[in-house]
Amino acid sequence: MKIQLVFATNNAHKLEEVRAIVGNRVNLLSLNDINCHEDIDETGLTLEENALIKSKYIKENYNFNCFGDDTGLEVEALNGAPGVFSARYAGDAHNSEANMLKLLKEMEGKENRNAQFRTVISLILDNKEYLFEGVIKGRIATEKKGENGFGYDPIFIPDGYDKTFAELGNDIKNEISHRAIATQRLCTFLNNL
């Protein structure tokens, strides 16, 4: 029997990406599917805290088995920034363009361009919590390139590639990304239940 889970996100790009990764192994419901239209405040100071805030909110208010995630871009030369504040780096508007421009400006003249994307998933299944993490290392490009993806994808070049996530396209990104790694770990766990 296929397990049913709610993915606690209002981000349509994330939902589409995770649906592509899990395929038909999970009956994945969106917040819209359960008539949850609230914007769940991410008040945590770590990715783990924010992921748990989202999954707990759905479990406590809607009583569904669910998972939430949070992702951060962690740049070595910026002491791990923007990190947990990645979506709001240039302000509260969740403006990807402004976030990228701010990051590129702060990286001007820096030789160390090493960075990593990190995703943490908090699963609440039958009132137990499980955490899954995915990390992909890479570097920050000197300029935006590519049209695919979202967020910082046009300026992040994963290790082993010479193109940004936005240039590589969704098929490759969905195989190698931080979210793909964390989601595959979640799927492996669910398959072994």
Side-chain angles (χ1 to χ4, degrees):
M1 187 173 83
K2 220 175 3 177
I3 192 161
Q4 178 172 282
L5 289 173
V6 173
F7 183 17
T9 186
N10 283 313
N11 185 322
H13 295 292
K14 270 192 198 179
L15 183 64
E16 185 180 319
E17 200 171 272
V18 169
R19 275 197 169 130
I21 295 165
V22 300
N24 60 7
R25 291 179 283 190
V26 175
N27 181 19
L28 192 62
L29 300 176
S30 69
L31 292 180
N32 205 35
D33 291 333
I34 63 166
N35 291 315
C36 174
H37 304 291
E38 298 87 47
D39 199 13
I40 304 167
D41 279 338
E42 296 179 26
T43 56
L45 297 178
T46 66
L47 299 177
E48 291 81 1
E49 287 173 7
N50 280 341
L52 182 57
I53 285 168
K54 291 185 245 186
S55 58
K56 272 189 171 172
Y57 184 89
I58 298 306
K59 186 63 180 169
E60 290 169 2
N61 291 281
Y62 294 87
N63 201 30
F64 278 94
N65 285 324
C66 59
F67 65 95
D69 81 320
D70 199 17
T71 294
L73 175 62
E74 300 168 339
V75 181
E76 271 184 24
L78 303 178
N79 297 315
V84 74
F85 302 107
S86 292
R88 306 176 295 282
Y89 196 45
D92 284 334
H94 292 259
N95 183 324
S96 295
E97 187 70 20
N99 290 338
M100 279 189 286
L101 291 175
K102 178 177 180 179
L103 183 63
L104 287 173
K105 183 87 176 137
E106 291 186 1
M107 291 299 292
E108 283 178 5
K110 294 195 179 354
E111 283 187 34
N112 178 1
R113 302 192 75 83
N114 293 336
Q116 67 179 21
F117 265 122
R118 191 164 68 92
T119 291
V120 176
I121 292 175
S122 163
L123 168 70
I124 296 182
L125 183 66
D126 302 327
N127 296 312
K128 289 185 188 158
E129 183 200 342
Y130 306 89
L131 288 176
F132 306 92
E133 182 182 76
V135 174
I136 185 162
K137 295 186 178 299
R139 63 193 183 282
I140 301 300
T142 55
E143 62 184 353
K144 291 173 23 191
K145 289 184 180 174
E147 300 298 321
N148 294 307
F150 63 99
Y152 294 92
D153 287 355
I155 62 170
F156 182 81
I157 302 168
D159 282 355
Y161 293 85
D162 59 1
K163 294 181 176 175
T164 67
F165 266 160
E167 291 176 293
L168 290 172
N170 292 334
D171 289 346
I172 293 174
K173 182 185 174 191
N174 288 346
E175 285 181 25
I176 66 168
S177 78
H178 46 294
R179 191 168 295 108
I181 294 166
T183 303
Q184 290 296 350
R185 288 180 175 155
L186 168 69
C187 288
T188 299
F189 172 79
L190 295 172
N191 288 339
N192 289 322
L193 288 177

